[in-house]
Amino acid sequence: MELVNLKDASDAVTFAEAVKKGLGKHQGLYFPKKIKPMDNIDELLALPLVERSIKVLSHLTENELPAETLESIVKTAFYFEAPLVQVKENVFNLELFHGPTLAFKDFGGRFMAQVLSKITDGAPITILTATSGDTGAAVAHAFHGIENINVVILYPKGKISQLQEKLFTTIGGNIHTVAIDADFDACQQLVKTAFDDPDVRDGLHLNSANSINISRLLAQVCYYFEAMSQVPAEKRKDVVFSVPSGNFGNLTAGMIAKTLGLPIKRFVAATNLNDTVPRYLKTGEWAPNKTVATISNAMDVSQPNNWPRIEALIEQGYLPKEILQGDAIDEEYTQVAMKQLAALGYVSEPHAAVAYRSLMKDLQDDEVGIFLGTAHPAKFRETVENVLGQPISLPQALADAVAKEAFSADLPNDYEALKAHMISLLQDKQ
Ligand SMILES: *Cc1c(COP(=O)(O)O)cnc(C)c1O
């Protein structure tokens, strides 16, 4: 597979190189040089998730990985389901939260971990990442127990929910977690500093595993096919996807699925009050505001880092820009949507509710609407209980994690302290 840096066309890499590097020169995103449509969509849709995903991913990666390797990666990564659940006539939720950390980030995180473990030739590497919640859990579970990969996760002490914290600080083994006495931006800054420090970057063979990694996006393409496979054949040309968006990786994956030939009619890019993209789609002006905190906090992003990939899909002529509509939902209507869904007998959480609300504004009678369920409602238990006034029970994975002891180190917001900690933890493993 050939990928090209969107900021510098002379920076071209293979899939394996793009996965290892993450970002290219000048912080540019890697994007496939050419996306060829698949021509056997109906046959693909008749296959089970794992078998179909192997075909989609080997097509996208142009058979770069040996067939047996890719097969074993996909089997290990995608062991859970993505059911399409009806909430009312012609409206469905694609539940992407049946993985180990109960959020859709398990798909991309697990695929990336398996790919990295197969392409590093056994040389030890260290994943260093900062999290404000969900990503840390997905990365921690995805890499747990993988030989020769150590993971260090920084998070802002006391600033994430206890449930979220328990999901990644109780694992142990090759997963090392550090509570930093500062906010999330400070944690991200520490990660950047480490990547600029050759002692640590080269000494510990750092990799970031963050959301711009191409492997995560390609993995996510597979669940759009899975959703469509559950729609009756005669309705497949009428499907509208509404995607709750923050960094816009999820939507990028859907648009790549469309480019491959999946017959998606159109997309709704649904955001919360952090509405840079919906405003841009209306006015043509890219004018990010300051990020504001909302109850759909995984989408509190005002400078979405995957947006250049969506622009590339449109500018390179793969898709017309009319296929995408933007819509922003405020805090009040997020709650209204949660209540409307509950009245239909479907308990949901704020992110999916944003997508539901945006979908319903403009869904036509002859269309089938699918909104993406990006997290289990129990992950946002407090908000859901407050809004709906009813108790939410914890699924087993969360209940088990809550009962375990956390293993985090506590550090001040000081790079030298972090460096010393990482070197003492990891240097004997290099
Ligand atoms: C990360 C996340 C999103 C946003 O997804 P993007 O791919 O960044 O647009 C939405 N909902 C939940 C629950 C998330 O964790």
Side-chain angles (χ1 to χ4, degrees):
M1 179 184 196
E2 201 178 345
L3 297 112
V4 178
N5 181 334
L6 289 175
K7 283 194 181 161
D8 180 351
S10 70
D11 178 13
V13 293
T14 64
F15 175 63
E17 285 164 343
V19 174
K20 281 190 229 171
K21 285 188 172 178
L23 277 173
K25 272 190 223 159
H26 317 299
Q27 313 274 304
L29 299 170
Y30 287 117
F31 192 74
K33 177 147 191 218
K34 182 91 196 116
I35 303 173
K36 295 194 197 98
M38 300 182 79
D39 52 16
N40 45 358
I41 300 291
D42 286 337
E43 283 165 43
L44 276 176
L45 291 177
L47 298 174
L49 171 69
V50 167
E51 228 173 292
R52 178 191 326 111
S53 300
I54 292 168
K55 289 193 192 291
V56 169
L57 290 163
S58 72
H59 175 88
L60 275 167
T61 56
E62 298 175 336
N63 305 313
E64 183 178 315
L65 302 174
E68 330 65 90
T69 306
L70 183 65
E71 215 177 292
S72 120
I73 288 172
V74 175
K75 278 187 183 147
T76 311
F78 298 170
Y79 69 87
F80 45 88
E81 299 186 319
L84 196 60
V85 175
Q86 181 154 22
V87 302
K88 60 190 257 186
E89 204 187 339
N90 289 340
V91 180
F92 300 82
N93 188 221
L94 179 63
E95 293 189 346
L96 298 172
F97 49 73
H98 295 286
T101 73
L102 310 172
F104 81 100
K105 291 189 172 75
D106 283 327
F107 280 93
R110 293 184 63 80
F111 181 68
M112 177 177 176
Q114 292 302 317
V115 170
L116 260 181
S117 77
K118 296 289 196 297
I119 61 179
T120 52
D121 309 328
I125 59 173
T126 303
I127 305 286
L128 174 65
T129 192
T131 186
S132 55
D134 281 349
T135 307
V139 167
H141 281 262
F143 284 94
H144 181 222
I146 294 185
E147 228 171 292
N148 287 321
I149 301 185
N150 276 284
V151 177
V152 179
I153 299 174
L154 312 185
Y155 65 99
K157 185 175 179 174
K159 294 199 170 64
I160 67 175
S161 83
Q162 206 205 352
L163 278 180
Q164 282 181 320
E165 183 174 4
K166 285 278 185 162
L167 262 177
F168 64 94
T169 57
T170 54
I171 298 175
N174 62 331
I175 310 299
H176 311 279
T177 55
V178 185
I180 302 286
D181 198 4
D183 61 12
F184 174 63
D185 289 329
C187 296
Q188 269 192 313
Q189 193 50 51
L190 289 170
V191 169
K192 279 191 193 147
T193 308
F195 274 85
D196 285 338
D197 177 350
D199 292 351
V200 172
R201 183 188 61 219
D202 304 335
L204 300 179
H205 304 98
L206 287 192
N207 183 298
S208 79
N210 67 13
S211 70
I212 48 79
N213 197 288
I214 192 70
S215 59
R216 293 178 48 155
L217 278 188
L218 299 192
Q220 290 174 245
V221 171
C222 299
Y223 54 67
Y224 287 88
F225 280 81
E226 176 63 13
M228 195 64 92
S229 78
Q230 296 173 58
V231 174
E234 69 280 7
K235 298 297 287 173
R236 285 179 186 156
K237 63 180 193 329
D238 304 316
V239 171
V240 178
F241 277 98
S242 181
V243 185
S245 297
N247 271 320
F248 282 80
N250 214 348
L251 182 65
T252 308
M255 291 178 69
I256 293 175
K258 167 82 183 163
T259 302
L260 290 178
L262 196 66
I264 298 167
K265 187 173 169 193
R266 59 186 179 90
F267 293 93
V268 182
T271 70
N272 59 28
L273 290 172
N274 297 287
D275 60 349
T276 309
V277 167
R279 280 188 293 114
Y280 173 72
L281 291 172
K282 275 186 202 99
T283 65
E285 209 183 321
W286 187 259
N289 293 330
K290 199 169 179 310
T291 308
V292 294
T294 73
I295 56 171
S296 49
N297 60 25
M299 311 197 304
D300 291 349
V301 180
S302 59
Q303 311 221 36
N305 57 21
N306 270 301
W307 186 254
R309 285 174 165 147
I310 291 185
E311 296 246 276
L313 283 165
I314 294 168
E315 276 166 18
Q316 294 178 17
Y318 289 113
L319 297 174
K321 69 172 188 298
E322 293 71 33
I323 200 157
L324 183 59
Q325 284 152 305
D327 189 49
I329 301 296
D330 68 15
E331 292 290 271
E332 185 188 340
Y333 277 103
T334 304
Q335 298 189 27
V336 167
M338 288 169 68
K339 288 178 189 153
Q340 288 173 331
L341 283 165
L344 293 167
Y346 191 77
V347 172
S348 198
E349 49 73 48
H351 305 78
V354 163
Y356 174 72
R357 182 81 194 170
S358 294
L359 176 69
M360 295 317 292
K361 277 188 186 171
D362 198 28
L363 190 71
Q364 307 297 306
D365 287 345
D366 59 351
E367 290 178 330
V368 173
I370 298 177
F371 63 107
L372 302 198
T374 44
H376 191 288
K379 271 196 113 165
F380 296 91
R381 184 186 194 177
E382 234 169 87
T383 307
V384 176
E385 288 184 341
N386 281 341
V387 173
L388 300 183
Q390 69 183 69
I392 300 290
S393 57
L394 290 187
Q396 202 56 46
L398 268 182
D400 290 348
V402 169
K404 284 190 202 150
E405 194 190 339
F407 286 107
S408 285
D410 276 313
L411 288 181
N413 180 17
D414 171 26
Y415 177 67
E416 291 306 322
L418 174 66
K419 180 174 175 175
H421 178 71
M422 286 180 66
I423 288 176
S424 76
L425 264 180
L426 300 173
Q427 75 183 349
D428 57 325
K429 302 192 168 114
Q430 296 300 304

